[in-house]
Protein backbone atom coordinates (compact mmCIF):
# COMPACT_ATOMS: atom_id res chain seq x y z
CA UNK A 1 0.00 0.00 0.00
CA UNK A 2 1.77 3.11 -1.27
CA UNK A 3 -1.13 5.39 -2.19
CA UNK A 4 -4.82 5.43 -1.21
CA UNK A 5 -6.88 2.94 -3.25
CA UNK A 6 -10.56 2.39 -4.07
CA UNK A 7 -12.37 -0.27 -2.06
CA UNK A 8 -11.35 -3.82 -3.00
CA UNK A 9 -12.59 -7.11 -1.61
CA UNK A 10 -11.21 -10.43 -2.85
CA UNK A 11 -11.21 -14.06 -1.77
CA UNK A 12 -9.30 -17.11 -2.94
CA UNK A 13 -9.91 -20.78 -2.20
CA UNK A 14 -7.57 -23.59 -3.10
CA UNK A 15 -7.12 -27.29 -2.49
CA UNK A 16 -4.51 -29.89 -3.36
CA UNK A 17 -3.36 -33.41 -2.64
CA UNK A 18 0.36 -33.87 -2.02
CA UNK A 19 2.63 -36.84 -1.40
CA UNK A 20 6.11 -36.53 0.08
CA UNK A 21 8.72 -38.86 1.58
CA UNK A 22 6.67 -39.70 4.68
CA UNK A 23 3.47 -37.76 4.08
CA UNK A 24 0.25 -38.05 2.11
CA UNK A 25 -2.29 -35.30 2.64
CA UNK A 26 -5.10 -33.22 1.20
CA UNK A 27 -4.76 -29.51 1.99
CA UNK A 28 -6.94 -26.43 1.74
CA UNK A 29 -6.06 -22.74 1.51
CA UNK A 30 -8.43 -19.82 2.16
CA UNK A 31 -7.49 -16.15 1.81
CA UNK A 32 -9.21 -12.80 1.85
CA UNK A 33 -8.16 -9.19 1.35
CA UNK A 34 -9.94 -5.93 2.00
CA UNK A 35 -8.42 -2.62 0.91
CA UNK A 36 -10.05 0.78 1.15
CA UNK A 37 -8.46 4.20 0.90
CA UNK A 38 -5.46 3.97 3.29
CA UNK A 39 -6.40 0.72 5.03
CA UNK A 40 -5.53 -2.89 4.17
CA UNK A 41 -6.58 -6.10 5.94
CA UNK A 42 -5.51 -9.61 4.85
CA UNK A 43 -6.29 -13.04 6.30
CA UNK A 44 -5.09 -16.43 5.15
CA UNK A 45 -5.22 -20.00 6.43
CA UNK A 46 -3.74 -23.28 5.23
CA UNK A 47 -4.80 -26.62 6.70
CA UNK A 48 -3.77 -30.19 5.96
CA UNK A 49 -4.96 -33.63 7.05
CA UNK A 50 -2.10 -36.15 7.29
CA UNK A 51 -3.55 -39.44 6.08
CA UNK A 52 -0.66 -41.73 7.04
CA UNK A 53 -0.46 -40.43 10.64
CA UNK A 54 -4.08 -39.36 11.11
CA UNK A 55 -3.29 -35.82 12.25
CA UNK A 56 -4.54 -32.34 11.41
CA UNK A 57 -2.55 -29.09 11.26
CA UNK A 58 -3.42 -25.54 10.38
CA UNK A 59 -1.54 -22.30 9.91
CA UNK A 60 -3.05 -18.84 9.70
CA UNK A 61 -2.06 -15.18 9.52
CA UNK A 62 -3.92 -11.88 9.83
CA UNK A 63 -2.32 -8.62 8.68
CA UNK A 64 -3.45 -5.04 9.01
CA UNK A 65 -1.86 -1.90 7.59
CA UNK A 66 -2.58 1.81 7.56
CA UNK A 67 -0.99 4.30 5.18
CA UNK A 68 -0.38 7.10 7.68
CA UNK A 69 1.23 9.42 5.11
CA UNK A 70 0.58 8.56 1.43
CA UNK A 71 3.80 7.83 -0.48
CA UNK A 72 5.78 8.14 2.78
CA UNK A 73 4.76 6.00 5.80
CA UNK A 74 2.92 2.68 6.23
CA UNK A 75 2.24 1.30 9.72
CA UNK A 76 1.53 -2.45 9.84
CA UNK A 77 1.01 -5.38 12.19
CA UNK A 78 0.42 -9.10 11.80
CA UNK A 79 -0.25 -12.19 13.87
CA UNK A 80 0.19 -15.77 12.74
CA UNK A 81 0.31 -19.26 14.15
CA UNK A 82 0.92 -22.89 13.25
CA UNK A 83 -1.21 -25.22 15.36
CA UNK A 84 -1.37 -29.00 15.54
CA UNK A 85 -5.09 -29.53 16.07
CA UNK A 86 -4.89 -33.31 16.22
CA UNK A 87 -1.67 -35.05 17.28
CA UNK A 88 -0.35 -38.00 15.25
CA UNK A 89 -2.29 -41.15 16.14
CA UNK A 90 -0.01 -43.39 14.07
CA UNK A 91 3.46 -41.77 14.11
CA UNK A 92 6.21 -43.38 12.03
CA UNK A 93 9.06 -45.12 13.84
CA UNK A 94 11.51 -42.49 12.57
CA UNK A 95 10.52 -38.89 11.98
CA UNK A 96 12.19 -37.61 8.82
CA UNK A 97 12.10 -34.39 6.76
CA UNK A 98 10.04 -31.51 8.17
CA UNK A 99 7.79 -33.78 10.22
CA UNK A 100 10.26 -33.73 13.13
CA UNK A 101 10.11 -29.90 13.17
CA UNK A 102 6.33 -29.65 13.54
CA UNK A 103 5.69 -27.80 16.79
CA UNK A 104 3.00 -25.30 17.76
CA UNK A 105 4.24 -21.82 16.99
CA UNK A 106 2.96 -18.26 17.06
CA UNK A 107 4.39 -14.91 16.04
CA UNK A 108 3.34 -11.28 15.98
CA UNK A 109 5.12 -8.36 14.37
CA UNK A 110 4.88 -4.58 14.22
CA UNK A 111 6.42 -2.49 11.45
CA UNK A 112 6.83 1.06 10.21
CA UNK A 113 7.80 1.32 6.53
CA UNK A 114 9.22 4.64 5.34
CA UNK A 115 9.25 5.09 1.55
CA UNK A 116 12.39 7.16 0.90
CA UNK A 117 12.40 6.78 -2.90
CA UNK A 118 9.03 6.19 -4.55
CA UNK A 119 7.76 2.71 -3.70
CA UNK A 120 11.12 1.00 -4.40
CA UNK A 121 13.30 2.52 -1.69
CA UNK A 122 12.00 1.45 1.72
CA UNK A 123 13.39 1.77 5.24
CA UNK A 124 11.62 -0.56 7.71
CA UNK A 125 11.67 -0.63 11.50
CA UNK A 126 10.47 -4.09 12.61
CA UNK A 127 9.65 -5.71 15.95
CA UNK A 128 9.12 -9.49 16.07
CA UNK A 129 7.95 -11.72 18.94
CA UNK A 130 8.01 -15.47 18.15
CA UNK A 131 7.22 -18.40 20.42
CA UNK A 132 7.76 -22.08 19.50
CA UNK A 133 6.58 -24.93 21.70
CA UNK A 134 9.45 -26.84 23.29
CA UNK A 135 9.88 -30.36 21.88
CA UNK A 136 10.51 -31.62 25.43
CA UNK A 137 7.31 -31.86 27.46
CA UNK A 138 7.09 -29.66 30.54
CA UNK A 139 9.67 -27.12 29.38
CA UNK A 140 8.69 -23.55 28.50
CA UNK A 141 8.34 -22.46 24.89
CA UNK A 142 11.36 -21.09 23.06
CA UNK A 143 10.81 -17.35 22.68
CA UNK A 144 12.60 -14.95 20.36
CA UNK A 145 12.21 -11.19 20.31
CA UNK A 146 13.96 -9.02 17.76
CA UNK A 147 14.07 -5.40 16.66
CA UNK A 148 15.63 -4.61 13.31
CA UNK A 149 16.11 -1.74 10.93
CA UNK A 150 16.19 -2.84 7.30
CA UNK A 151 16.61 -0.95 4.06
CA UNK A 152 15.76 -2.17 0.58
CA UNK A 153 15.99 -0.73 -2.87
CA UNK A 154 14.48 -2.69 -5.74
CA UNK A 155 15.65 -2.20 -9.29
Amino acid sequence: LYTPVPMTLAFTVGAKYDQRAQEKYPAMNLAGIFRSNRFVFLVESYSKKELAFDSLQTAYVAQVGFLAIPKRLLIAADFGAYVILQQMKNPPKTLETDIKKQLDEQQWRLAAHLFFYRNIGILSLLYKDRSVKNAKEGLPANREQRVSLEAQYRF
Side-chain angles (χ1 to χ4, degrees):
L1 194 63
Y2 178 64
T3 58
V5 296
M7 187 171 15
T8 304
L9 180 63
F11 298 97
T12 59
V13 177
K16 72 174 185 174
Y17 176 81
D18 204 352
Q19 190 167 337
R20 298 182 180 176
Q22 283 191 306
E23 301 176 273
K24 294 178 186 176
Y25 60 88
M28 182 172 198
N29 174 269
L30 304 168
I33 182 170
F34 174 77
R35 292 175 64 172
S36 181
N37 198 8
R38 297 179 183 201
F39 177 77
V40 61
F41 178 67
L42 299 99
V43 292
E44 184 175 4
S45 74
Y46 179 88
S47 300
K48 70 179 186 177
K49 174 70 174 170
E50 295 270 3
L51 300 177
F53 314 133
D54 195 19
S55 74
L56 178 64
Q57 299 114 37
T58 192
Y60 60 88
V61 64
Q63 302 172 326
V64 65
F66 181 72
L67 188 60
I69 304 170
K71 298 184 179 182
R72 280 288 169 236
L73 181 64
L74 173 68
I75 306 296
D78 67 15
F79 176 82
Y82 170 78
V83 183
I84 299 172
L85 299 171
Q86 180 183 1
Q87 294 293 335
M88 289 184 201
K89 291 182 182 173
N90 306 314
K93 293 178 184 166
T94 305
L95 294 176
E96 298 174 2
T97 65
D98 288 339
I99 297 173
K100 60 184 169 189
K101 300 179 200 174
Q102 293 179 349
L103 298 168
D104 287 356
E105 176 177 342
Q106 69 180 25
Q107 174 176 282
W108 61 274
R109 299 179 296 182
L110 300 173
H113 304 288
L114 177 68
F115 301 100
F116 63 85
Y117 183 71
R118 298 185 187 157
N119 65 341
I120 58 174
I122 305 169
L123 184 64
S124 300
L125 178 62
L126 306 163
Y127 172 77
K128 173 177 140 178
D129 187 311
R130 180 174 179 234
S131 177
V132 179
K133 181 180 178 179
N134 199 311
K136 296 179 182 173
E137 281 298 316
L139 293 178
N142 297 311
R143 187 168 178 208
E144 171 192 4
Q145 293 177 298
R146 183 173 62 182
V147 174
S148 63
L149 184 62
E150 301 174 8
Q152 65 175 314
Y153 184 84
R154 297 178 290 215
F155 53 93

